[in-house]
Amino acid sequence: QVQLVESGGGLVQPGGSLRLSCVASGRTFNNYDMGWFRQAPGKEREFVATIKAAITWTGSSTYYAGSVRGRLTISMDNAKNTVYLQMNSMKPEDTAVYYCAAKSNASRYAYLTGTRDYDFWGQGTQVTVSS
């Protein structure tokens, strides 16, 4: 069992930046693919970014939704059991609850972009982009 706790959400102006954190506990972190998703009011939860497990690759490998590519960056600190989502040049449409997710022993040949791909979820953190 893995427990995920997100933090770092808040209110930011358009064009501003935030960094979300997700701390994982309960298992060896470097065997997990990690992902970030978001859910805006009245909409389905959508994929934002994913990073492959550290032991799968010689280095980290990441994949992003087209709407955030170039503005958001996912990264992983195995020593701290933490995955980050750095968000820059933020837009009002980035407003949502952001969720961290984890999957153990994932295929090394596929990026996990669906909500059903993940086994564990955090409780979410609210991000609001508004002037």
Side-chain angles (χ1 to χ4, degrees):
Q1 195 76 356
V2 172
Q3 293 80 42
L4 304 173
V5 179
E6 303 99 331
S7 62
L11 174 65
V12 63
Q13 292 186 343
S17 298
L18 275 179
R19 188 177 77 160
L20 306 183
S21 300
C22 172
V23 179
S25 60
R27 291 290 189 212
T28 303
F29 187 63
N30 65 358
N31 193 34
Y32 283 79
D33 284 30
M34 303 297 296
W36 285 97
F37 289 73
R38 66 187 182 187
Q39 188 166 16
K43 295 186 177 181
E44 294 186 352
R45 192 170 299 188
E46 65 174 4
F47 167 75
V48 174
T50 186
I51 186 166
K52 298 298 293 180
I55 65 172
T56 304
W57 305 87
T58 56
S60 295
S61 183
T62 58
Y63 183 76
Y64 300 90
S67 59
V68 306
R69 192 171 294 130
R71 299 188 299 115
L72 275 58
T73 302
I74 188 172
S75 62
M76 186 186 291
D77 186 335
N78 290 308
K80 296 182 179 180
N81 279 8
T82 301
V83 62
Y84 302 98
L85 186 68
Q86 176 67 43
M87 301 188 290
N88 299 326
S89 302
M90 296 185 70
K91 305 176 181 180
E93 50 263 43
D94 293 323
T95 295
V97 177
Y98 282 71
Y99 297 92
C100 174
K103 167 69 176 177
S104 65
N105 300 312
S107 167
R108 62 186 298 167
Y109 302 111
Y111 296 109
L112 306 184
T113 62
T115 56
R116 296 182 178 183
D117 292 336
Y118 292 86
D119 298 325
F120 305 102
W121 292 85
Q123 83 291 346
T125 184
Q126 175 70 47
V127 172
T128 303
V129 184
S130 175
S131 54

